[in-house]
């Protein structure tokens, strides 16, 4: 029996599900647009400098769209799902769920800030790079600026901070849902492990580990969150 103080408006779980699914779709739209900027070369995706090597005004627009989708898809639209999971799981272990929720909200804040920075600076630098095609000295300056901005966000904000934070959140939610939904929990643990390993790879400059684990995170975690949204849509309180 769900305690009265934990009850929520009938439409709330479905609103959470719709917002979360929209976020997941935008997240995959981000990946699609990012792939277009490197002509769908998967190997090129591991090095953001390929965006300069293949620079064009059209691709500057694409990367701006990708970063806007990133801000909302991977981050801001995940806030309702984060609070929904906290609402239902806090009775099982208030401390663990509080830690998990704080980690996830910090992940959202850190990630959205990084995406906001790149949504402005990357397109601007790419456009300048196109216009400076006949000026080698200017091209070198722009390349170094691009490297600096990319390292600040990719490694400083995302790699060494947010992947570890979302890994903690995924592991905690999975642990608290294990007894009732083992398949859901297993997928969550795998996604959390991929996130954490990517963060550790960045922290200790293990490039291969960081890149391979990141692929797990980029695909599995959004799908896992979409699965949780499906549970919310069903409005089955016994799930939690």
């Amino acid at each position: 029996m769900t305690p009265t103080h934990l009850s929520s408006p009938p439409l709330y779980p479905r609103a959470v599900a719709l917002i979360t699914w929209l976020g997941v779709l935008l997240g995959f739209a981000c990946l699609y647009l990012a792939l277009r900027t490197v002509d769908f070369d998967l190997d090129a995706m591991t090095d953001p400098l390929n965006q300069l090597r293949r620079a064009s005004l059209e691709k500057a627009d694409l990367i701006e769209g990708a970063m806007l989708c990133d801000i909302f898809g991977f981050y801001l639209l995940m806030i309702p799902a984060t609070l929904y999971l906290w609402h239902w799981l806090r009775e099982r272990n208030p401390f663990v769920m509080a830690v998990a929720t704080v980690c996830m909200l910090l992940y959202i804040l850190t990630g959205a800030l990084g995406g906001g920075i790149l949504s402005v600076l990357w397109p601007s630098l790419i456009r300048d790079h196109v216009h400076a095609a006949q000026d080698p000295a200017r091209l070198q300056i722009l390349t170094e600026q691009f490297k600096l901005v990319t390292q600040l966000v990719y490694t400083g904000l995302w790699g060494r901070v947010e992947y570890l934070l979302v890994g903690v959140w995924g592991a905690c939610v999975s642990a608290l849902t294990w007894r009732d939904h083992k398949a859901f929990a297993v997928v969550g643990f795998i996604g959390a492990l991929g996130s954490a390993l990517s963060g550790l790879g960045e922290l200790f400059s293990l490039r291969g580990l960081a890149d391979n684990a990141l692929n797990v995170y980029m695909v599995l975690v959004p799908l896992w969150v979409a699965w949780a949204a499906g549970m919310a849509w069903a409005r089955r309180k016994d799930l939690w």
Side-chain angles (χ1 to χ4, degrees), residues 25-200:
L25 289 175
L26 288 175
F28 284 115
C30 167
L31 297 179
Y32 170 74
L33 292 173
L35 280 168
R36 283 189 62 185
T37 66
V38 293
D39 304 310
F40 297 95
D41 183 349
L42 293 177
D43 292 333
M45 284 287 288
T46 61
D47 183 4
L49 275 176
N50 284 307
Q51 291 165 10
L52 281 186
R53 299 183 185 111
R54 306 175 188 224
S56 69
L57 295 179
E58 179 190 3
K59 288 178 179 178
D61 294 336
L62 287 174
I63 201 62
E64 184 173 4
M67 288 300 100
L68 291 174
C69 288
D70 178 75
I71 293 169
F72 290 94
F74 283 109
Y75 304 114
L76 297 183
L77 293 183
M78 294 298 108
I79 292 175
T82 302
L83 297 180
Y84 181 81
L85 288 169
W86 168 78
H87 179 77
W88 291 116
L89 292 174
R90 58 180 175 166
E91 290 297 301
R92 295 196 171 184
N93 193 316
F95 177 75
V96 167
M97 205 55 212
V99 170
T101 303
V102 169
C103 284
M104 187 58 175
L105 292 176
L106 287 174
Y107 157 83
I108 291 168
L109 174 62
T110 304
L113 285 174
I117 291 169
L118 294 184
S119 73
V120 173
L121 295 182
W122 265 2
S124 177
L125 290 169
I126 291 171
R127 292 183 184 110
D128 287 348
H129 192 275
V130 173
H131 292 312
Q134 305 305 317
D135 186 347
R138 179 63 176 157
L139 289 176
Q140 183 60 36
I141 292 171
L142 290 170
T143 299
E144 293 304 316
Q145 290 176 336
F146 191 91
K147 286 180 181 178
L148 180 62
V149 169
T150 300
Q151 190 165 16
L152 169 66
V153 175
Y154 260 57
T155 303
L157 283 177
W158 290 352
R160 294 185 175 181
V161 179
E162 71 158 25
Y163 299 148
L164 294 173
L165 290 171
V166 74
V168 171
W169 177 75
C172 290
V173 170
S174 297
L176 293 178
T177 55
W178 172 260
R179 73 185 188 193
D180 298 320
H181 302 282
K182 289 181 172 53
F184 176 79
V186 167
V187 174
F189 278 126
I190 296 172
L193 180 61
S195 305
L197 288 177
S198 182
L200 291 173

Side-chain angles (χ1 to χ4, degrees), residues 7-19 80 84 88 229 232-235 237:
S7 62
S8 58
L11 295 180
Y12 175 66
R14 292 197 169 186
V16 169
L18 289 173
I19 293 169
Y84 181 81
W88 291 116
W233 177 266
R235 292 187 296 173
K237 299 177 183 179

